[in-house]
Structure formats: C-alpha cells, structure tokens
Amino acid sequence: MEAAYVVSVAIRLDPPAAAVDPDRFETTVELPASEPGTDGWLFFRDRLWRGEIGDEPSFRRLAEERLGLADAGSVEVVAADFRELRTDGAYLDALTAAIADDLDRFNADSVDEVLRKYLGSSVHVRG
C-alpha cells in the first residue's frame, strides 16, 4: 500500500548576506499518507476541506517542519496548495474501509460523501 498527499509549495529565500533572483520558487512536495486506522491517518480530515487546505498558515508551518526549514530563518514556505491524494488501489480500499467503520466521526452518510467533503475530486489512483 502506498499513498501520499501531493502539495505545491512556494518557498521564499531571504538570505542576510546575499541577493537572490528569483527569491521565490515553487516545488512539489509529497507527504506520505499514514496507513488507514493508524496514528496520523486522519490527516485529510484535519487539514483539508473540499480539496483545499483548510488552514493555510498552519499547513505552511507543517510543510516547513517536514522540509527541515522550521529553523531556517532565511527560508520560508509562503504558500501551499493541495493537489491530490496519490494512491494505489490497496490504500484506497483500506481508506474507504476505515472510513466506513466510523462514518459518525466524519458527520457523513457515506464514504463517497466523506471523500468529496475532504478531498474534493483530488484522489488519483495509480498502478
């Protein structure tokens, strides 16, 4: 099973002893998705809403931590945009089963409603 949250992030460089051009660039970040039912598997519920990042400043701080930039004073994540949950069929099956086991947690009537509510149409199955 493999899955990752794919996010586009914009990073700004502001070095104290040099000039840079460009001072901002975008890159794609893949954040590994936790196995459904394990610690961290509710990342999509806690961070996304209808395929968009729910709290971008908080998410930018998370991205800085995951990229090892949290303590880099001259480098900062200035924007983040969720692109997709990239997954294989086995992970999606496990995810839908875990959601179905506890629909009340999501305040929804079906697994499809949960997936639309949090991920929009941004689930892409590969392989």
Side-chain angles (χ1 to χ4, degrees), residues 29-113:
V29 176
E30 292 186 19
L31 303 172
S34 297
E35 184 176 328
T38 66
D39 189 42
W41 81 279
L42 293 171
F43 181 87
F44 69 95
R45 183 200 69 179
D46 298 338
R47 296 289 186 164
L48 304 173
W49 183 252
R50 304 213 186 281
E52 301 289 332
I53 295 172
D55 179 358
E56 189 185 351
S58 172
F59 196 94
R60 289 194 317 257
R61 286 189 298 277
L62 171 77
E64 286 175 352
E65 290 170 11
R66 297 279 182 100
L67 293 170
L69 302 174
D71 296 324
S74 62
V75 181
E76 144 183 55
V77 172
V78 293
D81 186 35
F82 174 70
R83 296 292 185 207
E84 68 181 2
L85 171 61
R86 186 177 297 155
T87 181
D88 61 21
Y91 183 91
L92 184 58
D93 290 345
L95 180 63
T96 57
I99 292 169
D101 286 345
D102 197 2
L103 273 177
D104 290 341
R105 173 187 299 231
F106 302 97
N107 194 26
D109 295 324
S110 71
V111 171
D112 287 341
E113 181 183 351

